[in-house]
């Protein structure tokens, strides 16, 4: 066995479960300990200032700078009392992760005296360098000015000695350079549109917000084995590696007993997350070996997204203490399940009503049906955009595989909800909307309140499934900023609700009864959105054919799917809802194409390095050993005897030569294709060239490298194998 691989395995097997210092007390004793919550604000900020601050935040108004100044004093005092020495504006550039620049809590006066300082201006706004972040052409490289601005709807928090202030990030000219800005815009648009529709049913509804409950899947790998795999280190996935004889086929890992070392990691991860106010609740083994999941209680979509990004950062920090590495790549290992980030999305009113849950009276049930059907309409009208919001170079390996959502967006409703819609479709207004002598309304669809008990089965092949009181958007990738998918969904539903209200109001203004108009429009929509409803096997070839007939977006090429951001309907929708301008959509498309190119560029370079410096030398050493054996046998035995004795060696030698030659030729062709792609005139053309020309060659090289792994003497193979990466804990 090679020294590198041997030492990595030796180190991996030496790691024991780490001691975890988690308090014995109840979770409530340390939950949100490092967060400046509204309750804590009362100790540091005057009540009249808080009243104004909370009123502005809850109603989506801009915070006055004078208010920010008073709040900043309270924040600084709390942070310093809890050990903070620095502060940072914590934002979400178009890299997909988070960014921060730390400044100390002090300044110098004119006499050079050190003063503690953190003003309202420091809280309210900063000016990070915008030129070094992806902008998709909105900013020139020499135009560095960009602004980060406080998002008061997401509380400030501590990480170590640093106060983190959640902020938006915008260009000097006002365009969004991040995910948070359009996400906030989309929630405002959805709130307004949903509130207007709620007025048909309940005048008490003054506010509607979107909720998000994410489920974060991830892999763990021992850090020593990780460090011995350059592809894992540089790309987050294994660019080669033959599947282990035993992987996930026995389904014995899913929901199994959590390994002791992993459980120690999980306990500390949960403790750190809970201190940061992240209400994590669920942990379990996932399907693939060394794959796991964590999930919190749902929260407001903006806060939930902040918490997901924060927990991804915490995971990496805690994993290092336990000699693990977290793999958030959607497909780190070929042949086993990839990782997603299922986004459970719903809408809730200030009166506590979940708009996607069946109600307890006819009006609530009509309201439920109204919002359900409008969501279906939105998903059908913008299914291509929703797919564009989740595609990437990393998620491309997961989508369409038999363990992940297909690359066609459809909606699963389940038998009972589908039956309700089918009954409404067949009913007349008189049968469906019954008004008695007391002017009380009855909905002529039985048993809607009861369907909440066991309303649907599960359909793991559906990318967008109704699960009782929410929709689960299962196509989002594990490494993604889920804000990209959520802002697209929010905006699409907001637009649809606005169109619905326009249509209903026009008829009500003509004197038609409200209930009848609502029913007529809903019935029309039930018929119109049939194409998006599919409860069958999303992996089947029959569905691909059927989906194309229904007019759904069946494109699988990531660069071409990204085109949907600039489709006329998409541009019109985002501008109609004031979520993204055409220039901002163009920039996001450019960033997505550019990121796609760079990731494949890195992967192809790493692959070339691996096969030339690891795979081929090992293969040649083994081939040389076999050749020497053949020569030695010939010296000892007669020609007749060696003919049969060397048959197996000859066969292996030829196989090694075949695969080695194919790899060398493949690397040369791949390098050539990469150079041609790099010379393309724009990012879209480059992305298409990488997808069409480079990616297939990488797959071919991998096939030959994996074949050599099975042939070459195990002791000569330098790279940790799948059986080691996935089963050593």
């Amino acid at each position: 066995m090679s020294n590198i691989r041997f030492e990595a395995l030796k180190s991996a097997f030496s790691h024991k479960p780490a001691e975890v210092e988690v308090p014995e007390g109840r979770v409530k004793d340390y939950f949100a300990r490092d967060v400046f919550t509204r309750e804590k604000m009362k100790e540091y900020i005057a009540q009249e200032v808080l009243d104004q601050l909370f009123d502005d935040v809850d109603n989506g108004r801009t915070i006055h700078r004078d208010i920010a100044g008073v709040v900043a004093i309270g924040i600084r005092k709390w942070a310093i009392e809890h050990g903070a020495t620095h502060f940072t504006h914590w934002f979400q550039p178009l890299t997909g992760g988070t960014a921060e620049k730390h400044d100390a809590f002090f300044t110098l006066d004119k006499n050079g005296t050190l003063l503690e300082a953190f003003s309202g201006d420091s809280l309210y706004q900063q000016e990070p360098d915008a030129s070094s972040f992806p902008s998709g052409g909105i900013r020139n490289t020499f135009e560095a000015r960009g602004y980060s601005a406080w998002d008061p709807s997401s509380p400030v928090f501590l990480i170590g000695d640093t106060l983190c202030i959640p902020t938006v990030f915008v260009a000097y000219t006002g365009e969004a350079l991040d995910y948070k800005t359009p996400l906030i815009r989309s929630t405002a648009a959805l709130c307004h549109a949903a509130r207007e529709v709620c007025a048909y049913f309940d005048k008490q509804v003054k506010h509607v917000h979107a909720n998000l409950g994410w489920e974060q899947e991830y892999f763990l790998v021992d850090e020593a084995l990780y460090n011995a795999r350059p592809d894992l280190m540089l790309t987050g996935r294994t660019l080669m590696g033959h599947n282990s004889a035993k992987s996930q086929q026995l389904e014995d890992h899913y929901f199994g007993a959590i390994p002791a070392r992993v459980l120690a990691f999980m306990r500390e991860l949960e403790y750190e997350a809970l201190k940061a106010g992240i209400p994590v609740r669920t942990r379990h083994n996932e399907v693939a070996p060394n794959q796991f999941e964590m999930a919190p209680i749902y929260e407001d979509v903006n806060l939930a997204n902040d918490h997901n990004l924060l927990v991804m950062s915490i995971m990496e920090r805690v994993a290092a203490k336990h000699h693990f590495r977290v793999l958030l790549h959607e497909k780190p290992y070929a042949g086993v399940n990839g990782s997603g980030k299922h986004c459970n999305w719903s809408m809730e009113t200030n009166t506590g009503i979940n708009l996607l849950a069946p109600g307890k009276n006819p009006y609530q049930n009509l309201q439920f049906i109204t919002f359900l059907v409008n969501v279906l309409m939105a998903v059908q009208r913008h299914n291509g955009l929703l797919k564009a919001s989740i595609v990437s170079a990393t998620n491309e390996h997961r989508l369409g595989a038999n363990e992940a959502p297909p690359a066609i967006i459809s909606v699963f409703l389940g038998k009972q909800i589908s039956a309700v819609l089918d009954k409404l479709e067949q009913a007349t207004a008189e049968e469906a909307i019954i008004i008695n002598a007391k002017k009380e309304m009855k909905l002529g669809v039985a048993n809607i309140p009861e369907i909440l008990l066991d309303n649907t089965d599960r359909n793991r092949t559906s990318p967008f499934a109704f699960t009782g009181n929410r929709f689960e958007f299962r196509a989002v990738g594990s490494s993604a900023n889920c804000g990209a998918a959520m802002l697209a969904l929010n905006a699409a539903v907001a637009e649809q609700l606005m169109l619905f209200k326009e249509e209903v109001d026009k008829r009500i203004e003509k004197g038609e009864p409200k209930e009848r108009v609502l029913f007529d429009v809903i019935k029309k929509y039930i018929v119109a959105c049939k194409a998006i409803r599919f409860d069958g096997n999303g992996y089947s070839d029959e569905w691909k054919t059927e989906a194309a007939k229904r007019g759904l977006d069946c494109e699988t090429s990531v660069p071409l799917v990204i085109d949907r951001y600039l489709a006329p309907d998409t541009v019109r929708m985002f501008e109609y809802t004031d979520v993204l301008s055409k220039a901002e959509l163009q920039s996001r498309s450019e960033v997505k194409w550019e990121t796609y190119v760079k990731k494949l560029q890195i992967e192809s370079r790493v692959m070339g390095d691996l096969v030339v410096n690891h795979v081929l030398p090992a293969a040649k050493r083994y081939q040389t050993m076999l050749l020497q054996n053949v020569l030695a046998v010939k010296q000892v035995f007669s020609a007749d005897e060696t003919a049969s004795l060397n048959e197996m060696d000859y066969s292996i030698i030829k196989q090694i030569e075949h695969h080695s030659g194919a790899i060398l030729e493949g690397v040369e062709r791949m390098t050539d294709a990469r150079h041609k792609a790099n010379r393309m005139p724009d990012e879209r053309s480059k992305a298409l060239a990488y997808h069409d020309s480079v990616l297939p060659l990488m797959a071919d090289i991998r096939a030959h490298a994996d074949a050599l792994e099975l042939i070459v003497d195990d002791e000569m193979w330098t790279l940790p194998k799948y059986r080691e990466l996935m089963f050593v804990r």
Side-chain angles (χ1 to χ4, degrees):
M1 186 177 294
S2 72
N3 286 336
I4 294 175
R5 185 166 153 226
F6 174 77
E7 291 300 323
L9 280 166
K10 182 179 176 182
S11 175
F13 279 113
S14 70
H15 293 144
K16 305 298 181 186
E19 293 293 330
V20 182
E21 296 182 7
V22 177
E24 295 291 334
R26 293 174 294 180
V27 170
K28 72 174 187 178
D29 295 332
Y30 55 84
F31 180 70
R33 192 189 75 183
D34 295 339
V35 184
F36 196 44
T37 62
R38 288 192 173 192
E39 194 61 33
K40 292 174 186 174
M41 286 182 175
K42 296 175 183 177
E43 301 176 33
Y44 295 88
I45 302 171
Q47 189 61 50
E48 60 270 20
V49 174
L50 287 182
D51 290 343
Q52 184 62 56
L53 174 68
F54 296 160
D55 187 57
D56 289 341
V57 170
D58 293 342
N59 290 285
R61 292 192 295 266
T62 301
I63 308 299
H64 195 277
R65 283 185 179 267
D66 291 342
I67 295 291
V70 177
V71 173
I73 294 171
I75 289 176
R76 181 189 68 196
K77 185 177 180 183
W78 171 79
I80 292 175
E81 283 181 3
H82 288 77
T85 59
H86 289 70
F87 68 92
T88 182
H89 276 203
W90 185 77
F91 57 98
Q92 305 169 22
L94 296 177
T95 57
T98 58
E100 52 196 67
K101 175 175 71 75
H102 297 198
D103 288 308
F105 273 122
F106 71 83
T107 188
L108 297 176
D109 67 10
K110 61 182 180 180
N111 299 317
T113 304
L114 194 70
L115 300 175
E116 289 184 349
F118 178 66
S119 66
D121 286 342
S122 298
L123 169 66
Y124 204 85
Q125 180 178 307
Q126 281 196 329
E127 187 183 327
D129 185 347
S131 66
S132 298
F133 292 106
S135 70
I138 282 182
R139 307 295 292 143
N140 293 313
T141 302
F142 58 85
E143 295 173 323
R145 183 161 287 174
Y147 295 115
S148 56
W150 177 38
D151 170 20
S153 66
S154 187
V156 301
F157 56 92
L158 294 172
I159 296 181
D161 64 359
T162 303
L163 173 72
C164 297
I165 304 161
T167 58
V168 299
F169 183 46
V170 297
Y172 175 71
T173 46
E175 293 94 352
L177 296 174
D178 65 345
Y179 288 102
K180 179 183 274 282
T181 301
L183 179 60
I184 292 174
R185 292 174 186 166
S186 75
T187 56
L190 182 63
C191 171
H192 173 78
R195 184 184 64 227
E196 293 292 302
V197 173
C198 282
Y200 294 135
F201 309 97
D202 185 358
K203 299 291 185 182
Q204 300 301 311
V205 174
K206 303 299 181 185
H207 184 80
V208 176
H209 66 271
N211 287 325
L212 168 63
W214 44 264
E215 302 169 25
Q216 180 70 59
E217 295 176 339
Y218 61 95
F219 282 85
L220 288 176
V221 62
D222 185 90
E223 67 176 359
L225 298 173
Y226 172 90
N227 291 335
R229 290 285 309 218
D231 47 357
L232 276 181
M233 292 177 63
L234 298 177
T235 73
R237 77 179 180 105
T238 53
L239 297 175
M240 58 191 63
H242 199 280
N243 207 349
S244 172
K246 178 185 183 298
S247 59
Q248 67 184 45
Q249 62 266 53
L250 294 179
E251 300 173 336
D252 52 344
H253 187 254
Y254 190 52
F255 280 18
I258 300 172
R261 186 176 160 205
V262 174
L263 186 58
F265 157 77
M266 287 180 169
R267 289 182 63 209
E268 186 165 357
L269 170 61
E270 289 175 350
Y271 173 58
E272 293 297 327
L274 289 164
K275 285 196 303 178
I278 306 170
V280 291
R281 185 178 184 184
T282 300
R283 65 189 185 199
H284 64 82
N285 290 1
E286 258 298 336
V287 174
N290 268 5
Q291 185 186 33
F292 308 94
E293 180 181 296
M294 71 179 304
I297 299 169
Y298 69 85
E299 302 174 283
D300 173 83
V301 66
N302 180 39
L303 179 59
N305 192 47
D306 283 358
H307 279 169
N308 179 247
L309 291 167
L310 179 56
V311 88
M312 291 163 72
S313 175
I314 294 173
M315 288 171 80
E316 294 183 353
R317 188 172 74 246
V318 173
K321 294 175 64 176
H322 292 259
H323 303 289
F324 279 127
R325 290 289 183 153
V326 172
L327 303 180
L328 292 173
H329 193 290
E330 283 76 8
K331 196 76 169 177
Y333 304 112
V336 299
N337 279 20
S339 295
K341 177 151 41 196
H342 302 174
C343 290
N344 294 277
W345 175 89
S346 62
M347 294 174 282
E348 186 176 1
T349 70
N350 62 291
T351 59
I353 299 298
N354 181 344
L355 296 174
L356 293 177
K360 298 179 180 179
N361 59 60
Y363 259 105
Q364 287 183 359
N365 279 328
L366 183 57
Q367 179 176 267
F368 160 66
I369 294 295
T370 297
F371 279 92
L372 179 80
V373 172
N374 273 285
V375 172
L376 296 180
M377 284 290 292
V379 175
Q380 175 161 311
R381 295 178 66 238
H382 296 289
N383 66 94
L385 167 65
L386 291 176
K387 180 163 60 177
S389 74
I390 55 89
V391 296
S392 65
T394 53
N395 208 19
E396 181 175 29
H397 300 286
R398 169 176 167 263
L399 293 177
N402 278 358
E403 84 288 344
I408 302 169
I409 300 297
S410 63
V411 178
F412 168 80
L413 291 178
K415 292 180 180 179
Q416 291 182 313
I417 295 294
S418 294
V420 169
L421 297 189
D422 291 343
K423 186 171 182 179
L424 283 173
E425 180 188 343
Q426 299 302 320
T428 64
E430 289 72 20
E431 292 170 332
I433 306 294
I434 304 167
I435 306 294
N436 63 21
K438 297 181 179 179
K439 295 189 176 180
E440 295 172 335
M441 187 187 80
K442 292 184 179 181
L443 192 61
V445 180
N447 299 325
I448 291 184
E450 285 71 28
I451 64 175
L452 186 57
L453 297 176
D454 278 302
N455 59 332
T456 64
D457 197 355
R458 291 279 186 166
N459 187 329
R460 289 299 183 187
T461 73
S462 175
F464 199 85
F466 183 69
T467 57
N469 57 5
R470 64 195 182 278
F471 280 98
E472 184 180 20
F473 196 0
R474 301 183 62 247
V476 183
S478 54
S479 68
N481 182 322
C482 45
M486 293 298 97
L487 73 90
L489 179 59
N490 284 348
V493 174
E495 179 208 36
Q496 177 56 41
L497 291 172
M498 292 176 188
L499 296 174
F500 172 76
K501 186 175 188 302
E502 287 179 14
E503 187 170 356
V504 170
D505 283 354
K506 283 180 182 178
R507 291 181 55 180
I508 292 177
E509 289 169 3
K510 294 178 181 178
E512 295 185 58
K514 179 182 69 175
E515 287 79 10
R516 183 186 182 95
V517 173
L518 288 170
F519 171 76
D520 284 348
V521 177
I522 290 168
K523 181 176 178 178
K524 183 178 79 171
Y525 285 1
I526 290 172
V527 175
C529 69
K530 273 192 167 183
I532 203 67
R533 291 164 51 188
F534 179 67
D535 288 359
N537 181 5
Y539 301 149
S540 67
D541 291 334
E542 290 80 7
W543 166 234
K544 295 174 185 176
T545 303
E546 174 64 22
K549 290 180 181 178
R550 295 186 185 190
L552 301 183
D553 192 312
C554 299
E555 183 58 63
T556 58
S557 167
V558 169
L560 293 179
V561 172
I562 294 170
D563 284 343
R564 304 322 185 240
Y565 272 106
L566 295 172
D569 285 350
T570 300
V571 175
R572 192 159 45 246
M573 180 272 288
F574 275 121
E575 290 186 336
Y576 184 59
T577 55
D578 291 324
V579 173
L580 287 167
S581 67
K582 186 173 183 178
E584 289 170 323
L585 287 167
Q586 178 68 54
S587 76
R588 275 161 168 71
S589 301
E590 292 290 334
V591 169
K592 276 183 167 281
W593 284 317
E594 181 183 6
T595 303
Y596 184 86
V597 167
K598 288 179 176 177
K599 284 187 178 291
L600 287 188
Q601 188 179 72
I602 292 168
E603 286 189 354
S604 63
R605 287 173 174 170
V606 172
M607 174 168 270
D609 170 67
L610 282 180
V611 294
V612 170
N613 294 301
H614 287 267
V615 174
L616 292 181
K620 288 302 180 182
R621 278 196 299 273
Y622 186 51
Q623 187 183 46
T624 299
M625 187 184 77
L626 292 176
L627 286 168
Q628 290 171 344
N629 183 63
V630 168
L631 292 174
V633 167
K634 283 185 175 182
Q635 291 175 353
V636 174
F637 297 97
S638 67
D640 291 339
E641 291 173 317
T642 56
S644 59
L645 286 172
N646 287 321
E647 187 175 334
M648 184 178 73
D649 284 346
Y650 280 134
S651 173
I652 295 174
I653 289 167
K654 289 177 181 178
Q655 289 180 55
I656 292 174
E657 194 62 29
H658 165 69
H659 293 303
S660 298
I663 286 173
L664 284 172
E665 182 186 351
V667 169
E668 187 176 343
R669 291 173 59 201
M670 178 184 69
T671 304
D672 225 23
R674 189 173 69 232
H675 291 165
K676 288 179 182 177
N678 292 340
R679 291 194 292 269
M680 292 292 176
D682 56 76
E683 296 303 327
R684 182 180 183 275
S685 298
K686 289 179 184 177
L688 283 168
Y690 267 92
H691 178 274
D692 297 341
S693 302
V694 178
L695 201 56
L697 291 171
M698 290 176 63
D700 188 55
I701 293 169
R702 175 176 189 147
H704 289 288
D706 290 355
L708 285 176
E709 182 183 323
L710 291 180
I711 296 171
V712 174
D713 185 344
D714 187 68
E715 291 190 5
M716 293 184 177
W717 198 257
T718 61
L719 299 171
K721 298 185 175 182
Y722 272 27
R723 66 171 183 262
E724 297 151 1
L725 294 169
M726 291 194 290
F727 288 95
V728 175
R729 301 187 180 109

